[in-house]
Structures are given as structure tokens and as C-alpha cells.
Amino acid sequence: MHSPAAFVTGFSFNLRGGTTYPPHRHRALEIVHHVRGSGTLNFPGQDTVPFSADEVHLCPARQVHHQAMDEAGTDLCLLLTLRAGQTPTIEEPLAVRGNLSATLRQEIVHLTTAPQVTSPPERSERDLRAATVLAGLLARAEPCTARPRAASLAEDIAHHLAERYADITSLDEVAHAFALSPSTLRQRFAAHHGEPPLRYLTRVRVERAKDLLAHSSLSLKEIAQACGFANDQYLCAVFRRVEGKAPGAFRTNR
């Protein structure tokens, strides 16, 4: 029995945070499981694709790519050759963003760490296990350069900030709500909205405060509390920085 994919090799990398690794390519399909860490994958002439822990990317054979790490991490990598006519043609980078089963994770670890085999039956078994991993990933994969989920995630984060602006005390708690690291959240949000999430949050708070200044008789202290500012002095400092004038300039009910 011939497997639709042949296992070439498996290996693991520990990657340093704040490091950009040089462009490279492989003669075989590369499966990369980002076990931990976050950063971006870069494909010449295409999108820069953010990734976080537990995501998987499939890079076609001979596809040049390089990786930049925001947070230190570990990658498990598998190289497979595909038998023509027996597997789908993979011509563009693909991503599997979460939802990996425990079985898929275990098989990737096994193929990455198991010792070399030499007998034909053992090689056939390993090829079949690699093909099973590939099939499981392809069932969940999407083109990673389009980033539909990344855009949707950025919109969800913006909605969260706009809804809970009065209660948010740190970026860490927002990141926790979306099961992301703070650096990954910042990167994905800024890539879609063009500004960091905390700057966006400040704008939301300022706009809400301007509305209350114009249409309520609340004191500055009460407005600061209602809009998530630490105190009225900080509200005044933010207004001077963002609007170039003191909050009182927006009072219309005096």
C-alpha cells in the first residue's frame, strides 16, 4: 500500500524573541506547528501573516519564506513529499488557526521526535501517519495570506474595546479575553486598524467624554469615572494631548 505522502524528516526549533530569521525554502512541503510563541511569517510579494501559539502553517515546496519572532517560541516542523494525483495540489501557503485535535498534536510530536527507521514496513507506517496528519490539517486549512479570521478577530477586539471602555484596566486583560498574548493582540489589531489598541481605546474614551461634557451636567470626576479614566486630572491631561484643549472647552450646557 502506497501512502499519498512520503515523510522526509521532522525537526524542532527553539526561536528567540525579537529575532528575524533569514529567508529559506525546502524542496518538500513544510508543515510548521507553532507550539508556543508569536510573530509573523513573511512570503515575498504576498501578505505578512501574523501567528500565535498552536497555529499551523503549510508552506508549499520551494516557497521562499522567513519568520520574525515577537515572543520566543518553539516550532515543530515536518517535511513531506506528495505523490502526484493522490493528494490535493498545494500551491499557496495555508494556515490552520487553532482547533487542533489532541491526536493531531500527538502525531506531529511523534513524527518530529521519533528515531529514524530503516525497514520498508516502518517507512510505510511513518508515511501513512504523515499523510493522516496532512489530511487532518487540510480539512481545517484556509489560505493564510487572505487572513479572513485575522480581520474578523481585529473587528471583535475593536467591538470589545468600544463596549467595555469604562472597565478595561490593562491590555493584558483584553488579551486574556481573546486567548492571545498582549504582543500578538497589538500586532493583529494594528495590522487591521492602523493604530495600537490602547490608542484606539483612548479615542473611544475621549469621544464618550466629549459627549458627556456636551450633553450632561456630570462633574469632571464623574465623567472620568464613567469613561474609564483613572481620575479627572488624567482626563484633563489626555484631552490636552489628544484634542489640544481642556475638557471645559466642550461644555455646551454651561
Side-chain angles (χ1 to χ4, degrees):
M1 178 180 180
H2 290 293
S3 169
F7 177 80
V8 177
T9 190
F11 49 92
S12 65
F13 275 127
N14 291 320
L15 301 125
R16 297 188 300 272
T19 302
T20 297
Y21 290 85
H24 65 282
R25 62 182 175 179
H26 302 282
R27 297 180 64 184
L29 169 72
E30 183 181 25
I31 296 172
V32 182
H33 181 201
H34 308 288
V35 179
R36 62 185 184 89
S38 64
T40 58
L41 279 172
N42 303 274
F43 303 96
Q46 301 181 45
D47 286 345
T48 295
V49 182
F51 69 85
S52 56
D54 206 33
E55 294 186 354
V56 176
H57 285 89
L58 290 79
C59 299
R62 298 179 177 82
Q63 169 74 61
V64 176
H65 59 283
H66 72 275
Q67 191 162 314
M69 298 299 296
D70 295 327
E71 296 181 319
T74 300
D75 285 353
L76 301 182
C77 306
L78 305 176
L79 297 182
L80 312 180
T81 57
L82 309 182
R83 292 192 168 93
Q86 296 188 41
T87 57
T89 301
I90 300 174
E91 297 180 342
E92 63 177 338
L94 302 174
V96 180
R97 296 183 170 95
N99 298 319
L100 290 186
S101 67
T103 299
L104 271 176
R105 290 190 185 93
Q106 291 167 2
E107 285 297 289
I108 292 173
V109 171
H110 172 81
L111 291 167
T112 303
T113 60
Q116 294 292 321
V117 298
T118 56
S119 70
E122 289 176 320
R123 287 198 299 269
S124 294
E125 179 192 7
R126 185 160 293 184
D127 289 349
L128 287 170
R129 294 180 79 157
T132 301
V133 167
L134 177 61
L137 294 174
L138 289 177
R140 299 164 173 80
E142 62 185 28
C144 66
T145 52
R147 293 178 290 170
R149 291 187 185 177
S152 176
L153 176 62
E155 292 294 344
D156 288 345
I157 294 169
H159 180 75
H160 181 89
L161 295 175
E163 287 288 314
R164 305 192 182 191
Y165 63 89
D167 302 316
I168 294 170
T169 59
S170 71
L171 188 64
D172 285 355
E173 69 183 61
V174 180
H176 179 74
F178 288 90
L180 298 171
S181 69
S183 64
T184 298
L185 184 142
R186 279 193 296 268
Q187 182 184 66
R188 295 194 177 187
F189 189 92
H192 185 70
H193 291 286
E195 64 179 337
L198 289 183
R199 186 183 301 168
Y200 179 91
L201 177 61
T202 296
R203 287 200 301 106
V204 170
R205 286 172 167 167
V206 167
E207 289 303 314
R208 178 55 178 154
K210 284 164 63 177
D211 183 58
L212 291 175
L213 287 163
H215 302 105
S216 81
S217 58
L218 294 175
S219 67
L220 281 182
K221 183 177 180 179
E222 290 170 323
I223 291 173
Q225 183 177 13
C227 296
F229 293 102
N231 50 55
D232 53 330
Q233 291 91 348
Y234 183 59
L235 182 151
C236 292
V238 170
F239 261 70
R240 290 191 179 93
R241 172 168 55 84
V242 174
E243 297 291 339
K245 58 186 74 173
F250 296 90
R251 282 286 194 195
T252 59
N253 57 341
R254 289 177 291 187

